[in-house]
Amino acid sequence: MSIDENDFQQLKSEIDAWVRGPGEVWAERIEAEGDVPRALYEELRDKGWLSLAAPVELGGRGIPFPRYLELLEIVSRSHASIRMLVHVNNGTWRAMEPFANTEQRELVKKAVTGEVLVAFTLTEATAGTGADLRSTVRREGDTYYLNGEKHLITFGVKCDYWLLFARLEGTTGRDGTVALLVPNTGLPGAEVIDDSHTMGVRGTDHAILEFTETPVPVSARLGEEGQGLEVALGGFLLPSRVSVAMSAVGLAERAQELAIEYALRRETFGRKLAERPVIQNYIAENYADIAAARALVFEAARAYENGAADAGALSSASKIVAVDMLARVTDKALQIHGGQGYWARNPIERVYRDARAQRFEEGTNEIQKAVVARAVLAEYAATAAAAASAAPTSPAPTAAAPTPTATPKAEARA
């Protein structure tokens, strides 16, 4: 979908000005209170920043995915909880919309416009890839009875709905997985435990959810039985991993900016830090790291937008590269600050803490590497098989002509 470039650049400027001004005020309040105020959510909603990427027919602004990432890049320079609000609200509709029926589609529209908050509810303490889900449902008539536990569920305490994934009792792997839109309304047997005390990303609520024979109507299911992981992995996780990669780029840019400002300001032994070769090396390495990761993120975004066959592998690859880059950049940025950077009064301290969360958000790099390796090996095997089947068939060997018996004269000539 095309967008007016002047309007888009104006929107970028508007977001950048907010991040550097009111966004920093909100960040200080979040750090002080350990909570994201409802007023902040409403401000972001009213600005339309929670519905940037969704199509116009759902109530969004219809900004194409690669261009939306340019906006998320800017937002990610702010507090991690502010980024999280924008990121999650601009992504959950992708999982729901392709599978929603007419009634559910109205809920999707409310999620897009920020009227309701939907929490993506896949992660479990004893399962790591999605295919090994242990939360189960048992169907009795028009009701599923849900049992199991979820943890590390972002917005799982304050959300209006959980987009929850489980499996039919007795099934394994992808078979029997289901996606359910479960209302967070005090359902029988549902316990919500606030688990929000974290190293970074302070203010964003995280939940442990325990379900014991919790009744959920079958009408709450998105798609068919067996499509649960299709909803989770293709609809949300694939583009979300690219978004997390871009958020790593944005936060790295903020770390680099803080490091440069400090290096230009700080003097030791009569010289600015920025004049010292070792500091210049750090800054140059950070610049190259950020630029390389940013380029791969946009390649992954275009692959997703175009439905390319390697979109999944590029999505995971972009996250691998970007979060490793973020670790290196923030570490060097903190080192440039010296001991000063370790104190909470300096913004780099918060940036350093927030950066660590992206190492496991939407799957650890260990999982991403498994995804990439599986895709690369499968592509190689398919290419080799295609080449083998296309090779011309060699003709059947013919019987060799009998060797003539040498005559005595011939033997003599030989």
Side-chain angles (χ1 to χ4, degrees):
M1 181 177 179
S2 62
I3 55 175
D4 183 89
E5 191 60 31
N6 289 332
D7 289 346
F8 184 74
Q9 293 303 325
Q10 184 176 344
L11 178 58
K12 287 181 72 172
S13 297
E14 176 190 342
I15 294 175
D16 183 68
W18 185 91
V19 164
R20 295 180 182 279
E24 278 301 296
V25 177
W26 279 116
E28 292 173 5
R29 179 174 169 183
I30 291 169
E31 287 293 307
E33 299 177 1
D35 183 59
V36 172
R38 178 69 186 180
L40 171 58
Y41 180 86
E42 292 172 352
E43 181 174 333
L44 295 172
R45 180 196 64 199
D46 293 345
K47 287 180 176 294
W49 297 352
L50 303 182
S51 51
L52 296 166
V56 173
E57 58 267 26
L58 291 179
R61 299 177 72 162
I63 297 175
F65 186 57
R67 304 309 303 272
Y68 157 70
L69 290 182
E70 294 181 43
L71 306 177
L72 183 63
E73 178 183 11
I74 299 170
V75 173
S76 299
R77 298 170 191 160
S78 186
H79 193 283
S81 286
I82 295 175
R83 187 274 299 180
M84 192 71 79
L85 283 170
V86 174
H87 162 58
V88 171
N89 280 274
N90 276 284
T92 50
W93 68 269
R94 296 182 189 277
M96 297 184 288
E97 195 273 336
F99 300 90
N101 57 33
T102 303
E103 182 178 348
Q104 291 166 339
R105 193 176 174 84
E106 294 306 308
L107 177 58
V108 174
K109 290 179 180 179
K110 290 182 179 180
V112 166
T113 58
E115 295 174 66
V116 300
L117 178 58
V118 178
F120 189 79
T121 311
L122 175 66
T123 308
E124 298 178 2
T126 56
T129 66
D132 55 348
L133 283 174
R134 297 193 180 186
S135 293
T136 62
V137 290
R138 182 183 70 259
R139 182 168 181 173
E140 295 182 8
D142 293 332
T143 302
Y144 287 124
Y145 289 90
L146 173 63
N147 289 279
E149 180 185 63
K150 299 289 184 179
H151 82 154
L152 306 184
I153 305 304
T154 304
F155 305 126
V157 178
K158 296 180 180 178
C159 68
D160 299 293
Y161 286 85
W162 299 300
L163 176 54
L164 188 144
F165 301 90
R167 66 169 63 259
L168 293 172
E169 285 185 358
T171 63
T172 58
R174 290 175 173 264
D175 296 338
T177 56
V178 294
L180 303 169
L181 276 169
V182 182
N184 181 10
T185 53
L187 293 174
E191 183 178 3
V192 181
I193 302 167
D194 194 331
D195 192 35
S196 301
H197 191 63
T198 54
M199 175 192 294
V201 199
R202 291 178 180 168
T204 294
D205 64 282
H206 302 276
I208 296 172
L209 307 174
E210 296 179 352
F211 301 99
T212 305
E213 293 294 296
T214 300
V216 180
V218 171
S219 59
R221 190 185 68 224
L222 276 167
E224 302 300 324
E225 292 178 351
Q227 288 188 306
L229 288 187
E230 186 179 344
V231 176
L233 302 181
F236 181 77
L237 282 182
L238 193 159
S240 187
R241 285 168 177 164
V242 185
S243 297
V244 171
M246 181 53 87
S247 72
V249 170
L251 191 58
E253 289 168 342
R254 177 58 174 155
Q256 173 83 327
E257 181 181 62
L258 291 170
I260 291 171
E261 289 174 355
Y262 187 80
L264 290 170
R265 184 174 72 249
R266 170 70 167 156
E267 286 189 12
T268 60
F269 304 101
R271 294 176 65 190
K272 301 287 188 183
L273 287 183
E275 298 173 11
R276 301 187 179 279
V278 66
I279 301 300
Q280 293 176 357
N281 286 345
Y282 284 166
I283 290 170
E285 289 164 358
N286 281 356
Y287 174 87
D289 242 356
I290 293 168
R294 189 173 188 270
L296 180 56
V297 170
F298 278 119
E299 182 177 354
R302 288 188 292 269
Y304 170 75
E305 186 80 350
N306 296 329
D310 60 349
L314 282 170
S315 169
S316 290
S318 70
K319 185 174 185 294
I320 292 170
V321 169
V323 299
D324 280 350
M325 172 278 296
L326 179 59
R328 292 190 296 270
V329 167
T330 52
D331 190 66
K332 290 171 186 171
L334 186 65
Q335 190 68 12
I336 289 172
H337 282 76
Q340 291 288 338
Y342 196 70
W343 263 253
R345 64 177 178 270
N346 290 300
I348 190 62
E349 184 269 347
R350 187 189 80 222
V351 169
Y352 188 81
R353 282 188 289 104
D354 284 348
R356 191 60 179 82
Q358 295 177 29
R359 294 286 291 274
F360 56 83
E361 188 178 343
E362 312 301 30
T364 64
N365 269 9
E366 288 74 17
I367 291 293
Q368 308 309 326
K369 289 173 184 178
V371 171
V372 173
R374 187 164 56 241
V376 170
L377 292 170
E379 181 183 7
Y380 183 88
T383 301
S389 64
T393 304
S394 300
T398 58
T403 303
T405 305
T407 64
K409 191 179 287 188
E411 287 177 349
R413 287 198 301 269

